[in-house]
Amino acid sequence: MNEERQQPRTRTRIQQRNRDLIREAALDVFSQQGFRGATLDQIAERAGLSKPNLLYYFPSKEAIHLDLLARLLDTWLDPLRALDPMGDPKAEILGYMRRKLDLSRDFPRESRLFANEVLQGAPRLMELLGGELKALVDEKSAVLRQWAEEGRIANLPPQHLIFAIWALTQHYADFEVQVRAVLGEGHDPYAEAHEFLDLLFTKLIMP
């Protein structure tokens, strides 16, 4: 009786493990090959599963890709969600920039996956970009605009300030090979970027 009760849990655990294996493998393949260059055979081989087994969990390459992108977008939005309208403007803006830079350091494959999708015109992500992402950027842009009207930060176009933070932090993940090659040995790109971007954005937002 105990074995029968434990069986569904064991299957669920195995299923979750296999889904995680597929996601991890797909992240490697998509970030290296792009969506068009990636194949289900490559993902299955990287995950250590047969292709029919993979298809049991995800019906297509598109389904795996969309699953990864949706999870990634949610992670990507968390630092912006954390920007507090009641906080000190400088601390909040610099805190957002630092959190974005940390994401680039900790999740470079995810950043490249997202960049590849956008470069292709975001065919699998446009609904989310024009929906949840836009709504959040509009909400936080209103906060930045209010701070500017109160004279607490410089009067900058708020959406473009957010774009600048995206561009200058995600560059270190999307072009990491180039950054490390130019800096050479003995440099920590992310530690140096923290220091430089702190100075840059502090000067930029000063009223």
Side-chain angles (χ1 to χ4, degrees):
M1 181 69 71
N2 287 339
E3 289 180 0
E4 289 178 2
R5 287 178 182 170
Q6 290 173 2
Q7 233 178 355
R9 274 188 209 165
T10 302
R11 284 200 301 269
T12 299
R13 208 160 45 237
I14 291 171
Q15 289 171 351
Q16 185 59 51
R17 184 201 67 186
N18 285 344
R19 289 180 71 88
D20 290 342
L21 283 172
I22 293 167
R23 289 186 181 112
E24 183 68 18
L27 184 56
D28 271 344
V29 174
F30 284 133
S31 65
Q32 291 169 8
Q33 306 294 335
F35 178 79
R36 293 178 184 171
T39 67
L40 285 174
D41 289 321
Q42 291 170 333
I43 296 169
E45 182 180 0
R46 189 73 62 94
L49 301 171
S50 68
K51 185 175 177 181
N53 200 2
L54 180 150
L55 290 170
Y56 172 80
Y57 295 99
F58 293 96
S60 65
K61 179 175 78 169
E62 289 79 3
I64 305 173
H65 196 250
L66 185 58
D67 177 84
L68 287 174
L69 287 171
R71 287 167 169 264
L72 170 59
L73 184 60
D74 194 53
T75 300
W76 243 232
L77 293 180
D78 280 343
L80 188 54
R81 291 187 183 113
L83 192 142
D84 184 2
M86 303 305 294
D88 173 73
K90 177 184 174 182
E92 292 300 321
I93 293 168
L94 292 184
Y96 172 54
M97 179 275 296
R98 291 168 190 150
R99 290 189 295 272
K100 282 291 293 173
L101 188 60
D102 288 344
L103 277 180
S104 290
R105 179 195 64 206
D106 297 338
F107 301 100
R109 294 176 304 165
E110 289 85 345
S111 183
R112 288 190 288 271
L113 177 74
F114 185 81
N116 284 334
E117 171 69 8
V118 173
L119 286 171
Q120 293 176 24
R124 289 157 291 275
L125 202 56
M126 186 56 72
E127 185 177 345
L128 291 172
L129 295 182
E132 186 177 359
L133 176 62
K134 185 181 186 310
L136 182 61
V137 171
D138 287 346
E139 175 191 332
K140 299 305 182 179
S141 292
V143 173
L144 296 172
R145 193 174 295 111
Q146 181 66 34
W147 286 341
E149 290 173 357
E150 294 169 354
R152 302 170 72 189
I153 62 171
N155 187 16
L156 302 167
Q159 288 94 339
H160 290 279
L161 176 58
I162 293 171
F163 295 160
I165 292 173
W166 292 352
L168 289 170
T169 55
Q170 288 173 223
H171 175 87
Y172 289 90
D174 299 342
F175 294 91
E176 183 174 8
V177 172
Q178 175 180 277
V179 168
R180 290 187 182 277
V182 171
L183 288 176
E185 294 184 6
H187 289 269
D188 181 341
Y190 291 97
E192 293 176 18
H194 265 291
E195 183 177 349
F196 172 72
L197 293 178
D198 268 2
L199 176 62
L200 179 66
F201 281 104
T202 296
K203 289 181 176 295
L204 182 63
I205 66 176
M206 284 179 61

